[in-house]
């Protein structure tokens, strides 16, 4: 890897890797600043990545946290999307044939929903995603999608993520959206809820048994309820 490449932190497993979770951090609409390891948007995802790894390692789940080259989306998201595609290619080289679950927060959620068309991706967990009007839905076709948004988020719009979910459910294999009461954008007040949803979603997708009643019941709700589940 050269200095021009993104960086990836890896939590490995003993034995065979059966699935990989790729975690994508947030950013800003406009910024060409580098992303140091201590940047809050990146550090915010470290505990979540560790939590998924603790739950999944005995099932062969490796977790990778991508650190983008630059902090911003910038125009058409060229850099952020390229970084995620780069990380997916590295996973394919290291673990050919292994399914991938994408987990992204804020801008990272938008990136995850855009690169879900990678053949290895089986599902996307978008946390407080930035989904402006007109955001394309084609990449999530045939994938499982979970969206979670805090009801007090002032950085990314919960109304917009609901609108995206309504459009996307027409093409996904299954989808659900959770509204986390009293929570803002940083996922700090109720971090256990965010972690639980990500953990359960990942384990269910790789058929390792998430055993989370809230998530299990969500898939069978009617559309009008499934996309506005309070937790």
């Amino acid at each position: 890897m050269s200095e021009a490449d993104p960086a990836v932190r890896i939590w490995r497993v003993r034995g065979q890797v059966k699935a990989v979770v790729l975690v994508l951090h947030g950013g800003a609409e406009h910024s060409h600043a580098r992303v140091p390891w201590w940047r809050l948007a990146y550090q915010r995802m470290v505990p979540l990545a560790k939590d998924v790894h603790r739950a999944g390692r005995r099932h062969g789940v490796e977790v990778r946290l991508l650190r983008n080259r630059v902090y911003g989306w910038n125009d058409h998201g060229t850099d952020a999307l390229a970084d995620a595609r780069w990380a997916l290619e590295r996973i394919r080289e290291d673990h050919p044939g292994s399914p991938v679950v994408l987990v992204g927060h804020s801008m990272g959620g938008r990136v995850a929903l855009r690169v879900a068309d990678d053949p290895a991706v089986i599902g996307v967990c978008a946390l407080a995603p930035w989904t402006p009007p007109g955001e394309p839905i084609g990449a999530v076709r045939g994938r499982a999608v979970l969206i979670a948004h805090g009801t007090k988020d002032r950085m990314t719009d919960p109304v917009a993520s609901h609108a995206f979910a309504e459009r996307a459910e027409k093409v996904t294999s299954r989808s659900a959206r959770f509204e986390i009461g009293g929570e803002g954008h940083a996922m700090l007040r109720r971090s256990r809820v965010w972690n639980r949803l990500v953990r359960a979603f990942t384990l269910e997708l790789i058929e390792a048994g998430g055993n989370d009643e809230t998530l299990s019941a969500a898939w069978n709700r009617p559309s009008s309820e499934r996309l506005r589940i309070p937790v």
Side-chain angles (χ1 to χ4, degrees):
M1 185 175 72
S2 72
E3 292 183 357
D5 287 331
V8 176
R9 181 174 177 181
I10 303 176
W11 287 266
R12 303 185 185 277
V13 300
R14 294 179 180 178
Q16 182 182 0
V17 172
K18 298 181 180 179
V20 180
V21 175
L22 178 60
V23 182
L24 308 173
H25 64 77
E29 185 172 357
H30 303 289
S31 175
H32 291 281
R34 303 291 291 182
V35 183
W37 65 268
W38 43 261
R39 186 105 197 199
L40 183 58
Y42 173 81
Q43 284 296 324
R44 181 177 289 126
M45 306 308 288
V46 172
L48 188 147
K50 288 181 176 180
D51 185 79
V52 175
H53 182 249
R54 279 192 297 269
R57 60 188 173 189
R58 66 182 181 274
H59 303 291
V61 178
E62 179 177 284
V63 178
R64 299 189 174 200
L65 172 55
L66 175 67
R67 178 156 55 90
N68 291 350
R69 291 169 297 160
V70 297
Y71 188 60
W73 176 260
N74 303 322
D75 299 322
H76 302 292
T78 303
D79 291 326
L81 295 173
D83 289 352
R85 299 280 187 195
W86 174 91
L88 287 165
E89 183 60 31
R90 301 291 79 73
I91 293 171
R92 190 165 16 257
E93 291 176 357
D94 294 342
H95 308 296
S98 294
V100 176
V101 178
L102 299 174
V103 178
H105 174 246
S106 192
M107 186 187 81
R110 185 179 188 181
V111 173
L113 293 165
R114 287 282 191 102
V115 302
D117 55 357
D118 185 278
V121 173
I122 59 174
V124 179
C125 190
L127 310 176
W130 174 30
T131 51
E135 185 68 11
I137 61 171
V140 298
R141 183 178 300 276
R143 274 60 171 174
V145 174
L146 183 152
I147 294 174
H149 221 135
T151 59
K152 292 188 175 181
D153 196 326
R154 298 295 180 266
M155 295 293 292
T156 56
D157 187 0
V159 174
S161 75
H162 180 263
F164 177 88
E166 283 189 313
R167 293 189 295 117
E169 72 164 343
K170 298 177 177 64
V171 300
T172 60
S173 61
R174 53 180 170 168
S175 59
R177 179 178 168 277
F178 294 85
E179 298 184 340
I180 303 181
E183 182 63 288
H185 190 67
M187 307 188 298
L188 294 175
R189 289 190 59 191
R190 304 184 65 194
S191 59
R192 291 183 180 180
V193 175
W194 298 93
N195 289 353
R196 176 169 62 86
L197 290 173
V198 174
R199 188 168 61 240
F201 180 70
T202 299
L203 294 178
E204 184 175 303
L205 282 191
I206 66 169
E207 300 181 350
N211 297 322
D212 185 273
E213 293 182 1
T214 302
L215 180 59
S216 299
W219 306 123
N220 298 319
R221 287 174 176 249
S223 175
S224 58
E225 298 178 10
R226 193 175 65 251
L227 302 183
R228 301 201 67 169
I229 304 171
V231 288

